[in-house]
Structure formats: C-alpha cells, structure tokens
C-alpha cells in the first residue's frame, strides 16, 4: 500500500541483512499478520513513521517510556554529559547517584549492580542465587518472561508465547532440567511443590505483576505465599520488576503489594530509554558478586554515563508528587472507556489493568494465568489490532504484550483511542 511504501522498502532491505528484518522478534508483527512500520521519530505519545503517518503510541518502547518519548529533561540530561565522553570502562559519579535513587525507591535493596539489559539482570540474579544457596533448581511461572537466558526460556511469555513455541531450540535439556515452571497465581500447586522439593530450590523468580502474557494481576495472597515458602526453604525469592518496577508504583510491585523479595531485577524505565538493567537486593546475597565475592558478572558498557544520566533524569521526573496519581487517572479513563466499548459491541472481552499497564483479552472468562490468557481469540485480536493501527492507534502487535499508558497521553489521545476502539469492536461484533 502506498501509505506504507517507505516502511515496506526498508523492511525488504532489513530482511536481507537481519533475521526477520528485526532485532527483536515481536517487532516483526507476524502474529497479527502485518509488517512493521519503521519509526522516523517520536515525541510525547506520538510516533511518526518513515512515510509520515502518525500514531498514538501505547507500546512505549515496550515499557521504558513512562514519560513519553524524547522527554525534555531526559534529552537535556543526556546532552549535558555527552561532552564528557560516552564510556570509560571506569567508575563515574553518576553510577552512585542512580544506585542511590534506586535503593531509596525500593526498600528491599541494600546494593545494586548495573548491567545493560533486563535479560542480564535476571540471568545474573539467578547465578548469584545459585551460588548463594549452593543449589541448582529454579522455579518460575508459566507465561512469565524473564529475558532470553537459557535457564529461563521455559514456558516463557512475550515473544515466545507470541510465536507459539514451547521453549527454544539451542537451549540444552541439561540446562532446563533444573527449571520448573508452574501455573501463575496457583497457590496450592506452588505450596505442594515447595513442600516436596523446596530444599533443592535455589530461587523462585516471578513477575510480581505479569506483563508478558498480556496483563495478569497477581493474587496478593499468591505473592505472600511465595515469600512464606521461600523463607521456609531458604530459597532466594526474585521479583523480576524489569517491567513493573517504577511502573505500577515508584517502589514497584513490591511496594504496591507489600511483599519484599530477596533480590529484584529492573530495566526498562530505570534507564530512561537507554539500555540499562539492574539487579540488587540483600547485602549478603549481593556480596556474592565479583569482585566482592566469587560470582563472575561483568559489562564493558555497564554504568556508562549516558545511560546513567538518562536514568537519573527519568526517575527525577517520575518521583515528583502526583505523578502516579495522574497516570492512574489517565489509565483508569482508558480502561473504563474500553469496558464501555466492549459492553456496547457484543464482543466477549475482558480488560485487566494494574496502574498504567493494561490488557484486553478476547474471552468472556477472567484471565488469571497463562492458560486462561491463551483462551483469547487470537484472530479477533489480530483484526482488532489491524483496525486500530489503520486508524492511527499503535498497540503492541501481540495478545501477549501489554498496553502502556504514559504521562504524555492527554485526554484527547485517550478519547480518540476509545472512540476508535468502539468502532473497531462494534465491527467485530457484527462480523
Ligand atoms: C522486558 C523484560 C525482560 C527482558 O529485558 P530486556 O531488556 O529485553 O533484556 C525481563 N523481564 C521482564 C519482566 C521483562 O518485561
């Protein structure tokens, strides 16, 4: 189509040079039967593609852009350190500043280590937990995604779920035999597994708000049970807050639900849109990390001044009084508009929301775990996605990802989104 001509040409070029034409699978939009548009630039909640088409963006670079794109404070912070050089592989003052802000925000953290991605953060947290406990076994939950490290690519959400594959070729059986994946929010199954084999479990890792099977809120009692059982068995409880951290509350899901893990992983928002991951937690566990302890973990570009400056600027903006209250209002407005649109359409769908994370599933039943999420009518999701996209609403191109509302979304954006959804759902209801 003429409207997407430049993007189509670019995608053809990209496919010759990069597998699938993209540097992260879900971007290819295969599950919704479309091709990606190439982004030229973005500002606030608005994306502009290579052909000049404009979109209201609900992907937010998959989570980091809680302030919207190209926020002046973040851009200015990056510019102000740029002249110092971009990386030294030696300590800089900005690392202390960001570490201090993160530790202040999240009470369960005594120490943190900066890495370059969420994948690195969870992978390192697992390694440290295994060293600390002297055990191998890892418990995770179906539909949770913790990055693409071998150990954690079992019944994973996000792109793995989108592509409909159970795990991944290239991951040796010898490695994943130590990983046990259990149903999310299932207190009984978890408790009985821990009673049987808890003393072999090095770590239990969870997304305390699940955002990689669509949005699935935790049963608060489930999170409390994770804490109780791991305390009993001496297993490390890891909250993967790469998505939920600084998103559902400044102190993350652990602040929202009042459950303190031993270790946490962060990413996305904490880098202000630059590549940053963080793992941290109790001092005696973190002291395992080299050079303080024997567990090797390193990074050439870790803690570089550009990324640190962007993170500091982003956190400075979002910790201002009233920030999360306003975000909550905007997201609640979108939620109630969508619920209305569903009701008036005759389409069976449910909306899940925690703060500014939201998911619409095309099923009539509640969605509390991965099996229930998979009941969503994916053909209907694809049709909905395409209809919204054609009208300038840029949603994540997968049922198993979440809609992110940012502080840059204004009432007019939300209103336009709701009226477009209303029309889209009504058409689906009549089809
Ligand atoms: C995005 C995400 C990751 C992986 O982070 P990357 O920076 O993409 O490596 C890990 N865990 C969760 C919960 C995520 O949402």
């Amino acid at each position: 189509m003429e409207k997407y001509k430049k993007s189509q040409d670019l995608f053809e070029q990209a496919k010759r040079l990069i597998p699938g034409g993209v540097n992260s699978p879900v971007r290819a939009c295969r599950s919704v039967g479309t091709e990606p548009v190439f982004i030229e630039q973005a500002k606030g909640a608005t994306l502009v593609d290579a052909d000049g088409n404009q979109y209201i963006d609900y992907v937010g670079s998959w989570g980091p852009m809680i302030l919207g794109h190209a926020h002046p404070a973040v851009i200015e912070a990056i510019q102000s350190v740029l002249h110092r050089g971009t990386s030294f592989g030696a300590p800089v003052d900005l690392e202390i500043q960001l570490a201090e802000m993160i530790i202040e925000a999240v009470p369960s953290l005594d120490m943190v280590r900066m890495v370059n991605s969420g994948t690195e953060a969870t992978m390192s947290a697992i390694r440290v937990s295994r060293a600390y406990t002297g055990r191998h076994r890892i418990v995770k939950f179906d539909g949770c995604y913790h990055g693409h490290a071998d150990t954690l690519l079992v019944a994973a959400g996000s792109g793995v779920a989108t592509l409909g594959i159970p795990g991944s070729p290239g991951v040796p059986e010898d490695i994943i035999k130590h990983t046990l994946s259990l149903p999310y929010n299932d207190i009984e199954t978890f408790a009985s597994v821990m009673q049987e084999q808890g003393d072999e479990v090095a770590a239990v890792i969870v997304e305390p708000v699940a955002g990689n099977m669509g949005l699935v809120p935790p049963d608060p009692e489930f999170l409390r049970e994770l804490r109780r059982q791991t305390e009993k068995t001496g297993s490390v409880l890891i909250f993967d807050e790469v998505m939920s951290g600084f998103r559902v509350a400044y102190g993350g899901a652990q602040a929202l639900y009042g459950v303190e893990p031993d270790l946490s992983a962060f990413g996305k928002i904490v880098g202000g849109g630059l590549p940053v991951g963080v793992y941290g937690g109790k001092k005696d566990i973190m002291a395992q990390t080299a050079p303080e302890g024997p567990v090797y973990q390193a990074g050439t570009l870790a803690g570089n001044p550009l990324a640190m400056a962007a993170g500091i600027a982003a956190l400075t903006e979002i910790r201002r009084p009233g920030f999360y209250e306003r975000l909550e209002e905007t997201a609640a407005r979108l939620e109630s508009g969508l619920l209305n649109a569903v009701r008036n359409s005759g389409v069976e769908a449910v909306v899940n929301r925690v703060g500014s994370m939201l998911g619409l599933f095309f099923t009539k039943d509640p969605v509390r775990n991965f099996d229930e999420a998979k009941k969503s009518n994916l053909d209907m999701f694809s049709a909905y996605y395409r209809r919204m996209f054609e009208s300038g609403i840029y949603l994540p191109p997968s049922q198993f990802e979440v809609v992110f509302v940012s502080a840059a979304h204004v009432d007019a954006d939300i209103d336009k989104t709701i009226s477009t959804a209303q029309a889209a759902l009504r058409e689906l209801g009549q089809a």
Side-chain angles (χ1 to χ4, degrees), residues 62 116-120 122 145-148 207 211-212 240-244 267-268 276:
W62 304 93
N116 300 299
S117 68
T119 295
E120 274 185 85
T122 56
Y145 177 69
H146 303 293
H148 64 87
E207 284 183 71
N212 285 291
D240 178 355
E241 298 231 41
V242 171
M243 189 185 284
S244 59
K268 299 190 171 133
V276 179

